[in-house]
Amino acid sequence: MKLEFVLNGRPLTLEADPGTRVIDLLRRELELTGVKEACGSGECGACSILVDGRQLVSCLMLAGQLQGREVTTIEGLAPPNGLHPLQEEFVARGAVQCGFCTPGMLMAGAALLKNRPDADENEIKKGISGNICRCTGYIKIVEAIEAAQKRLKKGAVL
Amino acid sequence: MEIGDPLVRADALAKVLGKEKYSADLYTPGMLWSGVKRAGVSHAELVSVNIERAKALEGVEAVLTAADVPGPNRQGVIHKDQPVLAQDRIHYAGDPVALVLAKDQSTLKKALELISLELRELPGVYDPASALEAKAPLVHPQNESGNLIIHATQILGRGAAALDDCQTVVEGDFEVPRQEHAFMETECGVARLDENGRLEMSVSTQAPFRDRLEIGQALGLDPFSIRVKAPAMGGGFGGKDGATVQCLLALAALKASNRPVIMVWDRRESFLAGTKRLAGRLKYRLGADADGSLKALVCEIIMDNGAYANLGPEVLGQCMECAAGPYRVLNTSISGKAVYTNNPVGGPFRGFGAPQAAFAMEQMMDMLAARLGLEPLEIRRRNALKRGDKNSLGITLTTSTGIAQCLHTLADHPLYLQAEDWKKKSPPFRARGKGLACVLHSVGFGAKVPDYATAKIELTGEGKFKIYSGIVDMGQGNASTYLQMAGDILNQDAADLELVLPDTELCLPSGSASASRTTYIFGNALIKAAERLKKLIQQKAAMVFASQDREDDFALLPRTVRHLPSGWEVSLADLARMPNKSELTATGYFKAPVAPEAKEGGSLEIKGFGMGHRLFSYGAHLALIEVDQITGHIEVASYLAVTDSGRVINPQIFEQQIQGGIAQGLGYGLCEDFLLHKGQVLSRDFSTYILPTSLDVPVIYSKAVETHEDSGPYGMKGMGELPICGPLPAVANGLADACGVRVMQAPLTGERVLNALSTAGAAGEEK
């Protein structure tokens, strides 16, 4: 089918099998390998993307579901010539170890801060509880999200 | 860059941008997909493999069976007992029987479904005790000692006889579960055989140099015709130490007509075919004098090694070596058995065998303290090892031994001081407790396995430095620490240091990323290389200035060399443009010292590999827990880890290891239970094998006591595996403190705790 959607800010038209998993479309056809596959069954959040601003797992979506929607992957999180405050804080606060859960975790964090800008620590923990990290113990991830939240509240520009 | 700075990790930026390339990201259009058909049954004779229908499927390039494997078809790090593709016999459900190459992933999947097996099922053995019974079915009938892989006994002093002289003896029988590594990146790699017969592979691995040998031996190839590259890894934790996809992928590449091939295990395949932390049983008897001085320890350990030896016997060795904890025990008898069963394969997992031992020994210490009317902290203080003591194997500790300092720091910490008050404020139907655990973990391979590293640094034509890493960074950050050390010696900024990831063609062999050795051993080699290169640069600068001055008059600055007496400067780029490039590369070699008494011909007879260490890191952990008396659920409220791992090079990376290790240890302690039924995996995915989430990890306080280890780079010792050893015993002791019950079988699930509570309640009513 002819698939039209906005990917990382740019309108895109391509011929695709509507039954292809979105994660395969992104990783193989579009070479967006920042989208990670870790379970393939929607249980770990590593393949999270934003679809119309909501965090969804791309391993459980089919290409046809992207028709007409706005999609952001980790490759599109940073503003031009810069980093998203979440990305800066993840680096500065040591929230990254092996890095395999990081893209999905950042997308979860981005959706959370956008939809619930006043989330407290517990709400942040809840917000990322669908994303599994096996290295960090989550503590530095939560700290990084809180730090980014403060900067966004102070009006950090995206 | 300074030692001791909490510098941000060199790999973090690429990772937050999604730009870091892991092995499975090296996919290119046109690549063939490879995958294996697995046996599915736990024990059987393999009569035939029917591959015709799969072969006939359009898009299938090749279907291979054991008959297509060149060479001996045996893999294994030390014990070569595992076939690349199963031949004649199935030893466990994950045995691979056929390898398929197909044009894409969906064709691969279809082809694998079209393969059928003719099997004659055999009775199996699924627990190690019954595997040792006289008439037990044999997993490997050709193994001379039946299902027993190794039986080792270490006796110190008067051994078990000393129990008779003890004023008090306590006994315990403990059971520990399998643990799944559950690294986020499953086992994967890409490979290609070129037109000249050279095989190149990029693979998620902890040991690229050893992989080359393992592939070569298994498939009868010249190991030097194989190049293994190790890109960024999405976690390893021991589960990628030894071949996972490597031999299968190499075999696929041999039959792919020079096309590139990819293999990625999915999560269920990873759960089935990947190694697990060894499950086992530990029987303890611990005796002491009236004042609590430990006098005798007898323990018998039996480990379920699964279908192949892998590194199980070495894991057992570490378990035996840590069996007595960080305590002075004058008489010990420690015996261990690793046993074949028809279960998935046991192998290394962060902590090796130390977490299993800590679960037993730390509860024994609390049981003994309770019997003698001593505080758990006090009995540990009285028995803490110090330098000059003999450990439980009989090795005299000559290296930094900071367990007493750890206990001292813990005792002064507000969390410990306020614990009793906190306990008193527990809400209704909830009981609060505090639990202590002391931990130790060895650094390096021990006396019997060569333990060395070779580092290489080059000054490039642009005046930057390339650091060739010989040991993989599987995510723990050791590569960033390498840069920090080189940057400190060469006085360069992060931007001017470039890391070359392990690659058997470019880097120098330095052993596996394991055994808490990476920064210790490679750091020592790297310091030598960096200091040599620094001297070469100073000499070159002296030449340029035609100076008669000493080399020390030339200081390295970021991108520049300055002649200190005159203030003249020359840029490193200009220096690098001078002829004779070999002058601008330096290497450094370091071999780890070993305990003299454990060496070949030493006074101690050390039985197994993986035993007889000279150097250990230590820790004292405290868990404050709350038990729901209605559901049995344990919630860990807060946690303190005090660590002696010598000098801390990078406090941020140190803290990452502490927090991550404790989270993984809490998973092992509370919820991760890898369930099997007759060798069949019941915990097949993340919905049935429960990992800690962001909601399950408590506040974690961390303190480093920072002893100075003379043999370590800048005084450090390895600590990546240490923290995972503490949570399970600390929580178990907290449970006993809160509710007066002991659960001897891990993990401490709500169900088990509730059972223990109701049993204790019923017993109370009877009285």
Side-chain angles (χ1 to χ4, degrees), chain A residues 21 24 27-29 31-41 43-46 74-78 82-84 86-88 90-103 105-106 121-122 124-143, chain B residues 6 8-9 11-13 15-22 24-27 29 33 105 179-186 232-235 237 266-268 349-350 474-476 651-653 655-657 659-661 663-664 667 672 685-689 691-695 697-700:
Chain A
R21 295 189 311 163
D24 295 332
R27 282 179 55 83
R28 295 200 202 125
E29 314 286 324
E31 296 177 18
L32 297 173
T33 55
V35 183
K36 296 292 181 229
E37 178 157 6
C39 76
S41 52
E43 289 158 358
C44 77
I74 185 64
E75 289 86 351
L77 183 64
L83 291 177
H84 189 286
L86 274 169
Q87 290 170 314
E88 281 180 356
F90 266 55
V91 172
R93 290 170 193 274
V96 180
Q97 289 193 35
C98 88
F100 210 79
C101 77
T102 305
M105 200 63 89
L106 283 163
E121 187 188 332
N122 275 329
I124 290 173
K125 284 183 181 172
K126 220 172 193 175
I128 60 163
S129 63
N131 290 66
I132 294 174
C133 169
R134 191 57 160 162
C135 298
T136 65
Y138 306 100
I139 293 171
K140 291 183 186 298
I141 291 174
V142 174
E143 287 169 359
Chain B
V8 300
R9 285 175 53 152
D11 53 351
L13 183 61
K15 287 174 175 176
V16 297
L17 289 167
K19 286 184 176 165
E20 185 73 72
K21 293 285 183 196
Y22 298 75
D25 298 336
L26 303 174
Y27 169 84
W33 281 84
Q105 214 173 359
Q179 189 181 15
E180 164 62 39
H181 302 84
F183 23 66
M184 296 310 289
E185 177 206 36
T186 56
M233 263 177 99
F237 313 118
D266 69 19
R267 183 57 61 184
R268 288 187 169 211
F349 189 140
R350 190 182 202 169
M474 58 186 127
Q476 75 270 49
Q652 189 184 75
I653 294 176
E655 225 171 54
Q656 287 184 333
Q657 286 303 299
Q659 293 174 354
Q664 226 168 32
E672 294 183 34
D685 49 39
F686 291 153
S687 64
T688 45
Y689 184 80
L691 297 163
T693 72
S694 50
L695 294 166
V697 179
V699 182
I700 297 173

Side-chain angles (χ1 to χ4, degrees), chain B residues 585-605:
Chain B
T585 300
T587 62
Y589 173 81
F590 181 78
K591 191 171 180 192
V594 297
E597 55 269 67
K599 278 199 276 204
E600 217 54 58
S603 58
L604 292 176
E605 195 197 340

Side-chain angles (χ1 to χ4, degrees), chain B residues 2 23 74 132 213 261 289 451 561 607:
Chain B
E2 302 280 348
S23 295
R74 283 290 176 278
L132 293 179
L213 302 175
V261 190
D289 281 338
D451 196 356
V561 181
K607 298 283 172 21

